[in-house]
Amino acid sequence: MRRQLRQPRQPRRSRPILATRAVSGKSSGQGTHSDIQGKTQPPAPPAETDAAAFAAEAGDGPLSTPVPDVLAADHERLLERSLSDNLHALRQALAGSPDMVMHTLTNGSLDMAVIYVESLADVQAIHQDVLIPLHQAATSELRVGLAAGLEDWARVHVPMALRGQVDGVASAVAAVLRGDALLLVEGCSGGVVLRAAKHKERAIAEPDTEALIRGPREGFVETLATNLSLLRRRLPTAALIVETHTLGGYTRTQVALCYLEGLAPQPLVDEVRQRLARIQLDGALDSAYLEEWLEDHPFFPFPQIQNTERPDTTAAALLEGKVALLMEGSPFALIGPVNLWGALQAAEDYYERYLVVTLIRSIRFLFLLFALFLPATYVAISTFHQEMLPTKLLLSVAAAREVTPLPAVLECLLMEISFEALREAGVRLPRIVGQAISIVGALVIGQAAVQAGMASAPMVIIVSITGIASFTIPRYNFAVAIRMLRFPMIILAGTLGLFGIVLGGLLVLAHLCSLRSFGQPYLQPVTPLVWSGLRDVLVRAPHWLQPVRQSKVRRWWREEAPRG
Amino acid sequence: MANRMSRGMVPSGLVGARHRLRAGAVAVCLILCMMCSGCWDAHEIDQLAIVTVSGLDAVGDGQGVLGSVQIARPSQLGTEQGGSPTSGGGAGQTFVVVQGQANSPAAALEVIRRQVPRLLILSHRQAVVLGEAYAARGVAPLIDEMVRNPASRLRTIVLVAYHARAVDLLRASNPLERLPADAIRGLEEQSGLPRYNLKDFINGMYGPSDPFALGVRQVSSGGRPKLVIDRIAVFHKDRLAGWLSGPAMDGFLWLKGRMQTHQFTVPMPGLSGEVGVQVLSLRRRLTVDAPQGQPRAKVQLQVRTEVVENGSAFNPNDPQQMQRLQQAVERHIREEVRATLTELQSLQADAVGFGDLLYARHPRAWKPLQTQWRQRFAQMPVQLAIDVRVDRSGLTHVPPSANQTGAGPDGQAGQIGEDGGASPASGG
Amino acid sequence: MGQRGSRRAPDQARPSQQPNRPDMQHRVPGLPAKVSNRQILTYITLVTIAYGHFVTIGLVFRAAGRDAWVATSLGCLLGGGVVWVQFCVWQAARGRSLMAACTEALGRWLGALISAVYGLLFVCLAAFTLREQALFLGLIYPTTPPLVFMFFLLWGSVWVVRSGMEVAGRMAQLCLPFLVLLGLLASLATLPDKDFLRLLPVLDHSSMQLLHATLLVVSLFCDWVVVGALSDGVDQPQLLPRQAFWVSCLLVLAFLGPATGPVLVFGEPLAQSLAYPTYSEIQFIRLTGVVERLDVIGVLLWTIGSFLRLVLYLLAVTRVLHHVTGGPRSQLWAVPAAWLTAGCAISLLPLSREDLHTLLYQMYPLCALVLGLGLPALLWVAIRVRATRRPQQQAAA
């Protein structure tokens, strides 16, 4: 797999935080290099502050041109010519890592050392491709070219992929901690990093959160490289740009910003870069950490960034001109900008025939409204507007409610909360137990509550329909937002009846209208209106009617106030 | 420093959101306050007394009225926990009737309200039953109250109790339906009665013509009282003027175009026995005009019927017999309509709506007639043009009895047209 | 509905603005809110339809009975003319807004005074809307104090006003198709109860009654003067007069249903005596076995309509206040505008629905005609005179 590195195009200007700087200095030193490629790289732009270096964290620069870091310049020890001094320095630096191996070997008069972390590196390969060749080569041959430079020398004598050369102790330590092997030679300053990292990774499996009946079944895993390969195989084009950034003071997590050049609007890419540069974290363990830093409106429930486990969904988003972020250690890609209608679209919508999909989408939309308004409407009608029910239905409801002690609002709130609890229990418990618990719990509690007269049967029906409705929303985080909003709606309905619901609905609407995702209006193709965009909102027009090679986001992109 | 920190640290949209948060907090507090202070118009369903039918009777000679409401008892109506519906009268009465006496309909309602521990809601009232005496006295106060009350619905059916008090009718239950209200509504919808509810009644009251109402009475069959609607109460504006029943009522339904599914039998002229026919479609056209200030009306009815029962020697394959049947049906309808018109004209009540029609079509001619419309209506000549077609006579040819009485030896012969039992059309 | 010409929008050059970066949008002071022509016309259409169906049609019935549809159609066409004149006046002013026209025609101080008069009109109309909605909700919630509804409506609309004009525009754009669909469904559902004979005889009312009814409808279009206060925030103001004219002509279609419905269903006497005939019509719908009465649609339609009308007037008031005082950002005036409206609405509290409707029936059409047609026409004349005089003065100098 080949990765293409791109330099971020704008300098980063945010100021550092003292605490994080201290952390970064202490933990793993400066100048960790995320990715190296054999070819020459454009030099990193001169970062103006140490924070810039912190944020960019050498991920931007190749080994041959170490990041000019004020801190590093002050404190980093360079690797000396003396092997024993170097080993001493490394031993000191890695004192807390008992699984570090320092393998010294002597071929004739040439002393060499290979340093790696046993638990991270491919010991077998090091043995095979480094130790044995170096050991068995004739000393005279081995000395050839040593004076010219360590990296070129290693290219000749070590049959293992090179990452490049390191000059400082700190960068050497960082390389070792990433799983690579460091080769030091007596009498040569600096060391060579050999690509020896190997870790166990999960097999590519079908994503559990976004299952489908027809369509690709691959899902992202926790390894960035694998994920990028999944993405690249779908988009084998030079237009796919992957920029890596390193985040997290301790974790040094790599984040890949992916977009298709020419399709993604440049302001969007700049905006995402700018927001990435603003992130200051000790550790980034999942892409969710980034999401909260990147979103436009952090206080409101609606998600403004999509997450997906599916490479095909990610590729489709890139083709629409969106931007995707992949992160080491997270199987979830982040995609932005998004809109409300996207929350009602599942990956399968594009793999099924369009008529079916259109029907299913309208059902989803209907049930979205149910999930938000159904319990509230029931409460409003049964406590304020009884005249709206047909007489027979009213009498049945009245008969059912004759014995229940609680007011409808409280009953509804209690039932909804218990439902949420059941759902939560079902998710958290081990899968097999969880399902049993949720089904049995619902049945037993529901049935028993009705029979005991604690809850009325219509309420149980309403709550179950609402529950089903909230599960028809393809995106989990969006469904959660709807679930959250349901409770204020119930309270409003209990206090002001239908008027309360209408008012609440208007406020939610106003909120949605003012929401933005990466600066783009949240309700976009519908309002502000983009006619061509309506082909993929509630109706999915057939693929041959969808515009070809025109990025949605680019066409909709608005720098200023919207028209439409 | 704090400022710098916040600028550096905050995620994208955070700064501007603060005032919104504050506003949101204020709103939440207010809603909570409202919840604590109680909600003015919230009523739990189990605290309601759902009125399904209300009645009004005259008491004494003066203004006194006796109001009565029928309140559904949901506890007797619902399904049991197991899911089997309780039968209508099994566990107990499905409704209660509460009555109150006062000087006006609204006051009577207030008296009733005091007797019921629950909140009385009128918005599910299906029907209003008026006692005959009250209807004769004038229903304007009640109608006014119903229009003003936003809870009462304009779809309510207006019924007049035939020779009875409304209260007594309210107490009657129908064995098929769980609630008498359902029975009334069912009768109104199923039995081809004119769709005539409160708003039509009001229109009749304030328009050029007169309103009418359905007449309901109680019959006992097998010891259980039940309700039947088999009369039309005719009003002079808001006062009951008289009743239409029997053929006159059927004629009224013809005139109202509500005989779409009616079944009736006509004697077959010249043959013994009767033929039953069912109306398949009815097209009705009323025209009124007033040349030289003399109103005159024309009623055109186009009726398509089918033979549903042949109790005579009638041979449907015989065109002549068929024609005779058509004439018989036509005569039947004509007699009924004529009876209605005679009755209405003698009552001087324009319940069919000729006045409305005259006003709508010829407003200029209407103006001079307006003041004395009752008298002019009573003398108005009405021309009837009734066109009957009997379709779908069926493939069964001749009833076996016909073989013995007259027609050919078998159906084939009859079809050829021996003109077997033919006799000149009788009657006029 | 009929926003022709707005398709051309993308080609038009637009004034450069500060980049609307998401993290900047709350921080940048004075970021001008722009809406498209389509949005503003959708907005005013929604407001006109909702308020017209809800209040004006009832008054029209009172004046012209079963001939309401004649008066309505006539009124919509005349209203198109009124609207066209209004927008032409704003076009004549350089700032392309009501306040700019006042200043241009009357000078700074007098212009500010007339702008303030308009501001007062908008406050009053907002208060009327609030009071009217509270009264309407009083039918459904007999014991809840009207202040509760007024408070919540006002609070919500302040929130929207603070979010900006484009948010309000988007809301309208999202609501209108939905409400039109509901309205169509409602008028379809009443079809079985409609008796077209009830429309006869046509033109049985006196011409004065018909004129009064027409005026009532025209006054509805005079209210479009409120768009004048916002029209400088529109994408392409120069296209507005023509577009607005066609939209108001198209509104005939939207008004035909409610202008005939109640008469067709209830007959003239009853339709005239009902407080909210169209609402009663919706209430009357019965889809056997499914829905007993569709009050929901009524509450939905009219609460959304009143809410957005309130927002529209509040927006206009903030713009006027902003213009008169010259503050940094018009949205900041949302709360003061709301206080003004609340004060006005509370002073209207003692008025019953009958008083209010009588006021709207008798006084308001004339008032609207003066402020919605007369004054703009005068402004136009004044602007023209000044424009012709200025070169002369310059020549003289």
Side-chain angles (χ1 to χ4, degrees):
Chain A
M1 191 204 73
R2 289 161 57 90
R3 275 186 240 175
Q4 189 177 359
L5 277 176
R6 277 278 160 158
Q7 293 308 129
R9 282 167 200 170
Q10 90 290 0
R12 302 187 170 88
R13 293 176 193 278
S14 51
R15 299 292 306 174
I17 302 300
L18 281 172
T20 14
R21 182 165 65 186
V23 161
S24 66
K26 223 169 28 183
S27 65
S28 50
Q30 295 299 311
T32 310
H33 300 275
S34 65
D35 202 352
I36 307 149
Q37 203 172 5
K39 292 176 197 164
T40 46
Q41 294 290 327
E48 288 163 16
T49 63
D50 45 354
F54 168 80
E57 195 58 49
D60 312 318
L63 268 180
S64 51
T65 53
V67 179
D69 192 333
V70 184
L71 206 69
D74 285 349
H75 299 287
E76 187 175 9
R77 262 182 72 182
L78 292 177
L79 289 167
E80 305 293 333
R81 281 175 173 272
S82 153
L83 184 59
S84 56
D85 284 357
N86 287 343
L87 289 181
H88 181 70
L90 286 173
R91 198 170 282 131
Q92 259 188 337
L94 290 167
S97 310
D99 49 352
M100 186 196 65
V101 177
M102 281 189 180
H103 193 108
T104 52
L105 70 159
T106 309
N107 186 325
S109 59
L110 193 61
D111 286 336
M112 293 167 286
V114 178
I115 300 111
Y116 57 91
V117 176
E118 209 174 10
S119 51
L120 287 175
D122 186 352
V123 182
Q124 189 75 33
I126 292 173
H127 187 73
Q128 196 78 35
D129 297 340
V130 183
L131 297 181
I132 293 179
L134 287 179
H135 215 88
Q136 291 178 347
T139 317
S140 54
E141 273 178 36
L142 213 52
R143 286 212 177 264
V144 174
L146 194 55
L150 198 57
E151 195 173 348
D152 291 333
W153 173 84
R155 204 162 276 145
V156 176
H157 294 286
V158 183
M160 184 179 238
L162 288 186
R163 278 204 194 270
Q165 187 165 352
V166 284
D167 296 323
V169 173
S171 19
V173 165
V176 169
L177 284 175
R178 287 169 52 80
D180 288 335
L182 178 73
L183 175 62
L184 299 174
V185 180
E186 173 69 41
C188 294
S189 60
V192 182
V193 177
L194 302 167
R195 194 188 283 262
K198 183 192 180 190
H199 26 247
K200 293 270 178 264
E201 67 176 86
R202 184 164 66 93
I204 294 171
E206 193 180 353
D208 285 334
T209 51
E210 289 158 282
L212 44 67
I213 293 169
R214 178 179 170 183
R217 297 192 185 276
E218 284 177 334
F220 284 136
V221 293
E222 282 77 0
T223 316
L224 180 60
T226 314
N227 292 349
L228 280 172
S229 85
L230 287 173
L231 195 58
R232 276 213 180 274
R233 264 191 293 157
R234 283 175 174 77
L235 296 166
T237 159
L240 173 60
I241 311 294
V242 179
E243 290 177 16
T244 46
H245 299 249
T246 307
L247 297 176
Y250 280 96
T251 53
R252 307 275 154 176
T253 317
Q254 286 190 56
V255 175
L257 165 62
C258 313
Y259 59 93
L260 282 172
E261 189 150 53
L263 286 184
Q266 197 54 46
L268 171 66
V269 179
D270 292 342
E271 180 66 39
V272 177
R273 273 199 212 109
Q274 211 167 356
R275 292 191 189 184
L276 276 174
R278 207 161 31 204
I279 298 178
Q280 289 160 8
L281 275 171
D282 277 352
L285 300 182
D286 188 85
S287 52
Y289 282 50
L290 306 189
E291 184 178 349
E292 293 191 1
W293 278 91
L294 294 175
E295 61 194 2
D296 297 46
H297 306 270
F299 285 136
F300 295 109
F302 288 102
Q304 297 132 47
I305 295 174
Q306 180 187 352
N307 60 60
T308 182
E309 269 191 283
R310 305 192 63 87
D312 52 323
T313 306
T314 314
L318 294 185
L319 283 170
E320 286 179 2
K322 294 178 181 171
V323 163
L325 286 166
L326 294 167
M327 196 175 113
E328 179 71 49
S330 169
F332 286 94
L334 299 182
I335 296 172
V338 295
N339 56 37
L340 173 81
W341 319 105
L344 296 172
Q345 298 167 356
E348 192 164 5
D349 288 5
Y350 301 91
Y351 307 136
E352 268 309 332
R353 298 194 59 236
Y354 66 96
L355 279 176
V356 183
V357 171
T358 304
L359 176 72
I360 289 177
R361 275 196 188 169
S362 49
I363 288 175
R364 274 189 215 137
F365 187 70
L366 184 73
F367 274 75
L368 167 76
L369 295 180
F370 274 12
L372 189 53
F373 293 119
L374 187 67
T377 310
Y378 175 77
V379 168
I381 287 182
S382 69
T383 47
F384 283 89
H385 314 281
Q386 293 92 358
E387 68 273 8
M388 273 171 44
L389 291 172
T391 310
K392 278 198 173 163
L393 186 57
L394 174 70
L395 290 174
S396 334
V397 175
R401 282 199 53 83
E402 198 79 354
V403 285
T404 50
L406 289 174
V409 200
L410 285 183
E411 191 184 335
C412 188
L413 280 176
L414 271 181
M415 295 286 288
E416 286 288 350
I417 291 171
S418 347
F419 171 76
E420 289 297 315
L422 274 174
R423 188 192 54 79
E424 182 63 17
V427 172
R428 296 295 154 240
L429 277 168
R431 183 149 304 170
I432 307 158
V433 191
Q435 274 183 0
I437 286 284
S438 56
I439 292 167
V440 171
L443 277 179
V444 170
I445 295 179
Q447 180 107 17
V450 171
Q451 276 186 348
M454 298 296 289
S456 60
M459 187 67 81
V460 175
I461 295 169
I462 295 283
V463 170
S464 3
I465 292 178
T466 316
I468 292 167
S470 69
F471 290 133
T472 58
I473 300 169
R475 279 207 215 133
Y476 182 74
N477 52 358
F478 188 78
V480 173
I482 294 290
R483 278 202 211 106
M484 272 179 68
L485 286 176
R486 187 158 73 206
F487 291 98
M489 282 292 174
I490 294 172
I491 294 175
L492 271 175
T495 45
L496 289 170
L498 267 181
F499 172 73
I501 297 179
V502 174
L503 194 77
L506 275 173
L507 290 182
V508 169
L509 193 67
H511 170 55
L512 284 173
C513 285
S514 65
L515 265 188
R516 281 158 180 269
S517 166
F518 289 105
Q520 298 306 295
Y522 203 58
L523 297 173
Q524 193 156 41
V526 174
T527 173
L529 187 60
V530 183
W531 281 108
S532 61
L534 296 184
R535 288 179 220 168
D536 192 17
V537 176
L538 290 184
V539 173
R540 177 172 83 69
H543 288 300
W544 41 266
L545 266 182
Q546 303 285 358
V548 179
R549 240 180 295 149
Q550 262 187 306
S551 130
K552 267 187 205 169
V553 176
R554 204 181 175 83
R555 267 179 299 135
W556 301 349
W557 184 263
R558 34 196 102 230
E559 277 291 299
E560 309 150 0
R563 59 170 73 105
Chain B
M1 186 64 199
N3 189 24
R4 272 173 63 195
M5 285 276 286
S6 69
R7 276 186 72 85
M9 287 289 279
V10 284
S12 312
L14 204 137
V15 173
R18 283 205 178 121
H19 70 268
R20 294 190 175 198
L21 262 195
R22 211 184 312 137
V26 171
V28 168
C29 291
L30 278 164
I31 289 171
L32 286 179
C33 289
M34 282 198 56
M35 282 202 84
C36 299
S37 66
C39 322
W40 292 271
D41 287 296
H43 306 288
E44 294 299 322
I45 284 188
D46 45 18
Q47 296 160 8
L48 298 180
I50 301 157
V51 174
T52 52
V53 186
S54 73
L56 208 58
D57 289 296
V59 178
D61 305 329
Q63 288 292 304
V65 289
L66 176 72
S68 46
V69 295
Q70 191 185 66
I71 297 168
R73 291 175 67 198
S75 52
Q76 300 300 324
L77 281 166
T79 56
E80 280 164 1
Q81 294 308 335
S84 64
T86 51
S87 58
Q93 194 76 321
T94 54
F95 58 87
V96 285
V97 175
V98 184
Q99 59 190 50
Q101 195 174 335
N103 282 333
S104 73
L109 198 64
E110 193 51 42
V111 174
I112 294 169
R113 210 162 249 152
R114 287 206 197 108
Q115 301 172 43
V116 182
R118 295 181 171 195
L119 183 82
L120 215 57
I121 63 162
L122 290 170
S123 52
H124 279 270
R125 178 165 57 178
Q126 308 283 333
V128 179
V129 182
L130 307 170
E132 189 171 5
Y134 183 75
R137 195 204 271 171
V139 298
L142 172 71
I143 300 299
D144 187 57
E145 192 270 332
M146 287 178 77
V147 173
R148 278 173 196 283
N149 188 349
S152 71
R153 45 177 63 184
L154 289 165
R155 245 183 220 284
T156 309
I157 307 163
V158 182
L159 296 149
V160 181
Y162 178 68
H163 293 341
R165 291 199 315 159
V167 196
D168 302 330
L169 289 187
L170 256 52
R171 293 217 168 90
S173 63
N174 199 299
L176 262 184
E177 295 282 351
R178 293 189 293 177
L179 274 177
D182 293 342
I184 290 172
R185 192 144 155 186
L187 282 174
E188 191 245 357
E189 277 169 8
Q190 298 304 320
S191 61
L193 292 166
R195 300 216 164 205
Y196 200 77
N197 41 37
L198 182 61
K199 61 123 177 141
D200 298 304
F201 193 89
I202 295 169
N203 258 320
M205 251 173 73
Y206 293 105
S209 300
D210 284 315
F212 64 93
L214 304 179
V216 63
R217 91 197 148 90
Q218 191 177 353
V219 292
S220 345
S221 58
R224 292 189 79 166
K226 67 172 183 179
L227 300 175
V228 271
I229 300 177
D230 61 352
R231 257 156 244 265
I232 299 286
V234 180
F235 281 71
H236 275 172
K237 294 302 173 195
D238 71 324
R239 274 164 222 275
L240 181 68
W243 296 91
L244 299 179
S245 62
M249 175 169 166
D250 282 351
F252 187 75
L253 297 181
W254 284 117
L255 283 169
K256 279 284 166 191
R258 284 294 294 174
M259 286 298 225
Q260 275 98 346
T261 55
H262 186 53
Q263 270 191 33
F264 55 97
T265 54
V266 285
M268 192 59 200
L271 300 175
S272 61
E274 294 194 324
V275 178
V277 290
Q278 174 166 26
V279 180
L280 290 177
S281 79
L282 165 63
R283 281 167 66 191
R284 170 196 72 130
R285 196 180 143 85
L286 303 184
T287 39
V288 193
D289 60 353
Q292 290 96 41
Q294 294 303 314
R296 58 172 196 194
K298 187 175 176 189
V299 177
Q300 286 167 287
L301 295 177
Q302 272 186 10
V303 191
R304 274 182 61 222
T305 58
E306 69 173 346
V307 176
V308 289
E309 177 190 40
N310 190 356
S312 72
F314 165 61
N315 179 1
N317 297 317
D318 180 350
Q320 285 196 349
Q321 285 195 29
M322 199 56 152
Q323 204 183 351
R324 257 178 273 139
L325 174 69
Q326 284 179 1
Q327 283 168 357
V329 172
E330 187 205 315
R331 195 165 49 245
H332 175 83
I333 297 172
R334 184 184 295 275
E335 276 164 10
E336 286 185 343
V337 172
R338 196 47 87 187
T340 311
L341 288 172
T342 315
E343 186 72 34
L344 285 178
Q345 284 184 329
S346 72
L347 288 170
Q348 294 197 343
D350 177 16
V352 181
F354 289 110
D356 283 338
L357 210 60
L358 185 60
Y359 174 55
R361 297 282 184 200
H362 308 282
R364 295 221 177 114
W366 165 255
K367 288 270 152 63
L369 297 172
Q370 198 173 356
T371 48
Q372 28 160 358
W373 173 245
R374 254 183 234 300
Q375 292 78 32
R376 306 305 286 267
F377 168 72
Q379 293 147 16
M380 184 174 73
V382 181
Q383 186 192 345
L384 297 184
I386 296 165
D387 175 29
V388 176
R389 257 177 63 204
V390 180
D391 283 352
R392 300 205 217 166
S393 49
L395 285 175
T396 54
H397 297 159
V398 184
S401 59
N403 290 342
Q404 287 118 43
T405 46
D410 54 19
Q412 200 63 37
Q415 198 183 31
I416 291 165
E418 290 295 315
D419 210 7
S423 62
S426 60
Chain C
M1 297 181 85
Q3 287 85 20
R4 283 174 50 200
S6 59
R7 295 237 173 107
R8 265 167 250 161
D11 308 330
Q12 297 283 334
R14 308 227 273 130
S16 69
Q17 294 168 5
Q18 295 184 52
N20 199 1
R21 267 173 40 204
D23 50 339
M24 293 291 278
Q25 63 169 337
H26 302 305
R27 282 183 233 166
V28 179
L31 182 71
K34 283 263 174 193
V35 295
S36 66
N37 287 28
R38 194 189 286 139
Q39 277 173 338
I40 194 89
L41 289 173
T42 310
Y43 200 128
I44 188 74
T45 306
L46 192 152
V47 166
T48 307
I49 287 182
Y51 185 75
H53 286 197
F54 167 45
V55 179
T56 312
I57 286 291
L59 301 177
V60 171
F61 278 129
R62 200 196 279 190
R66 65 173 78 78
D67 293 328
W69 63 277
V70 181
T72 314
S73 321
L74 216 61
C76 285
L77 296 179
L78 289 177
V82 172
V83 169
W84 188 75
V85 170
Q86 283 176 1
F87 283 105
C88 281
V89 181
W90 319 144
Q91 290 318 299
R94 267 165 299 182
R96 289 188 162 151
S97 75
L98 163 69
M99 289 82 75
C102 288
T103 315
E104 185 120 352
L106 305 169
R108 197 171 154 208
W109 295 108
L110 201 56
L113 185 71
I114 297 297
S115 300
V117 168
Y118 274 111
L120 204 64
L121 173 76
F122 299 149
V123 169
C124 288
L125 286 176
F128 266 68
T129 314
L130 207 55
R131 180 78 190 106
E132 187 69 48
Q133 183 66 17
L135 278 168
F136 166 68
L137 289 168
L139 283 184
I140 302 159
Y141 303 87
T143 55
T144 311
L147 272 176
V148 174
F149 302 118
M150 282 157 69
F151 169 78
F152 276 99
L153 280 172
L154 208 53
W155 177 78
S157 46
V158 166
W159 197 53
V160 177
V161 170
R162 286 203 70 137
S163 308
M165 188 166 146
E166 71 274 18
V167 170
R170 283 179 208 157
M171 282 178 77
Q173 208 172 20
L174 210 60
C175 288
L176 184 69
F178 178 61
L179 296 187
V180 165
L181 195 73
L182 278 185
L184 280 180
L185 285 181
S187 60
L188 273 183
T190 49
L191 216 51
D193 291 306
K194 281 181 175 167
D195 180 1
F196 285 87
L197 213 62
R198 289 186 174 136
L199 276 188
L200 294 174
V202 180
L203 293 182
D204 194 41
H205 294 264
S206 75
S207 52
M208 274 317 283
Q209 283 172 310
L210 208 63
L211 187 70
H212 191 167
T214 312
L215 261 185
L216 282 165
V217 181
V218 170
S219 73
L220 198 61
F221 287 92
C222 290
D223 289 355
W224 284 36
V225 74
V226 68
V227 183
L230 307 170
S231 57
D232 58 338
V234 173
D235 207 18
Q236 293 163 298
Q238 71 279 6
L239 293 179
L240 270 182
R242 216 185 57 212
Q243 292 172 343
F245 175 76
W246 287 116
V247 168
S248 47
C249 290
L250 273 180
L251 274 176
V252 176
L253 297 178
F255 274 105
L256 268 186
T260 52
V263 167
L264 291 177
V265 173
F266 300 128
E268 192 189 63
L270 196 55
Q272 277 184 314
S273 65
L274 290 168
Y276 300 105
T278 37
Y279 177 66
S280 303
E281 187 191 346
I282 292 179
Q283 251 189 349
F284 193 74
I285 294 173
R286 191 177 91 198
L287 305 170
T288 314
V290 187
V291 179
E292 198 63 8
R293 42 202 264 186
L294 290 179
D295 302 30
V296 207
I297 293 187
V299 179
L300 206 73
L301 215 70
W302 287 308
T303 308
I304 293 177
S306 301
F307 183 82
L308 286 177
R309 191 174 146 101
L310 197 59
V311 170
L312 181 66
Y313 284 118
L314 283 182
L315 271 171
V317 174
T318 57
R319 286 292 171 107
V320 172
L321 284 174
H322 173 63
H323 176 82
V324 173
T325 59
R329 223 179 132 200
S330 65
Q331 270 121 305
L332 294 180
W333 287 101
V335 176
W339 278 117
L340 277 177
T341 309
C344 193
I346 287 170
S347 70
L348 285 177
L349 268 184
L351 290 187
S352 69
R353 189 177 62 227
E354 284 66 34
D355 299 335
L356 202 65
H357 279 192
T358 310
L359 205 66
L360 289 175
Y361 184 70
Q362 289 174 342
M363 300 260 297
Y364 184 66
L366 291 176
C367 175
L369 217 56
V370 168
L371 287 170
L373 184 63
L375 205 50
L378 279 179
L379 291 177
W380 197 6
V381 173
I383 292 174
R384 280 291 139 116
V385 170
R386 284 206 163 198
T388 49
R389 213 184 268 167
R390 203 172 294 131
Q392 287 169 3
Q393 282 172 349
Q394 281 166 357

